[in-house]
Amino acid sequence: MGPDTIPYTVWKRVHLKAPGLLSDLLGPLLRLGYNPVSMKKANGIVLDKSGKPYYDSPGSFGVIVLLQTVSKILERVTASRVSLIARSLKLVPHNQCGSLPALLLFKAALSLVDTVRTLQRTGLMASTLFLDIKGGFNNLNTSLLCSSLMRAGVPHYMVAWIDSFLSLRSCHLLFQGCPKTFSPAKGGTLQDS
């Protein structure tokens, strides 16, 4: 559970009782391009990676980050809006798959299989290259991203919110003997964001 210790079930009940409440509370944050520092705190659960001969280096551990639930709700709403803006500005490549609604990886797999079979029927050979770029999330340059979005025509309020979302984040690492203070989380973005 995130630092707010509020499970999603609470927010679902709130939404059932007062459907407009969350959008009334969170909407102004997006319009003002501001993500409060209180919503940027996370709990990082430190886990041993299995099969390591020694646990004396940071690479021997993995961290699962648990965010504030209300922050995740705002992030999800914002992601939907960013997706619509990106499509309207034609910023999404025609062959983009995954990470956006209606652009599922399953569809990409079907398209790949269809292309390979079409080429094979004509006697041609086909090959595919898959890349998994490690560290992409950790090395995101926020100022470069924001300037690129502004040049592409993304509305200023949205770029300001993205900049605010990615800056001044902190994480409380939870493992035995850990101090109960938040530390700055430097660079990049959250993996699912």
Side-chain angles (χ1 to χ4, degrees), residues 16-149:
L16 287 173
K17 295 288 183 185
L21 181 65
L22 279 172
S23 57
D24 290 346
L25 290 172
L26 300 177
L29 296 174
L30 186 56
R31 286 191 299 278
L32 293 171
Y34 178 68
N35 191 35
V37 173
S38 62
M39 292 175 66
K40 298 181 195 183
K41 294 182 177 184
N43 285 340
I45 313 285
V46 180
L47 302 172
D48 299 350
K49 289 183 180 176
S50 62
K52 295 288 181 178
Y54 303 103
Y55 291 93
D56 56 357
S57 73
S60 301
F61 302 92
V63 179
I64 296 174
V65 178
L66 304 173
L67 304 171
Q68 313 265 10
T69 51
V70 72
S71 176
K72 288 298 287 181
I73 293 167
L74 177 58
E75 183 184 341
R76 199 169 288 162
V77 167
T78 306
S80 295
R81 292 182 186 183
V82 167
S83 175
L84 290 172
I85 291 168
R87 287 177 189 209
S88 71
L89 295 173
K90 301 190 182 335
L91 300 176
V92 181
H94 72 279
N95 58 353
Q96 168 71 33
C97 298
S99 75
L100 293 172
L103 295 174
L104 304 175
L105 196 53
F106 178 74
K107 288 183 180 181
L110 288 177
S111 175
L112 176 62
V113 169
D114 181 59
T115 301
V116 168
R117 287 186 177 156
T118 299
L119 292 170
Q120 286 174 336
R121 277 194 292 274
T122 62
L124 297 173
M125 296 174 86
S127 64
T128 304
L129 173 65
F130 295 97
L131 298 174
D132 183 10
I133 301 171
K134 186 176 181 176
F137 293 105
N138 301 344
N139 296 304
L140 177 72
N141 183 320
T142 304
S143 60
L144 183 62
L145 170 67
C146 290
S147 63
S148 296
L149 292 173

Side-chain angles (χ1 to χ4, degrees), residues 122-185:
T122 62
L124 297 173
M125 296 174 86
S127 64
T128 304
L129 173 65
F130 295 97
L131 298 174
D132 183 10
I133 301 171
K134 186 176 181 176
F137 293 105
N138 301 344
N139 296 304
L140 177 72
N141 183 320
T142 304
S143 60
L144 183 62
L145 170 67
C146 290
S147 63
S148 296
L149 292 173
M150 289 297 286
R151 279 194 313 277
V154 173
H156 181 26
Y157 78 92
M158 187 63 72
V159 176
W161 189 88
I162 291 168
D163 186 36
S164 178
F165 174 78
L166 292 173
S167 60
L168 301 175
R169 301 196 73 83
S170 62
C171 186
H172 177 194
L173 294 177
L174 301 173
F175 56 95
Q176 217 168 28
C178 175
K180 297 191 183 302
T181 58
F182 286 93
S183 300

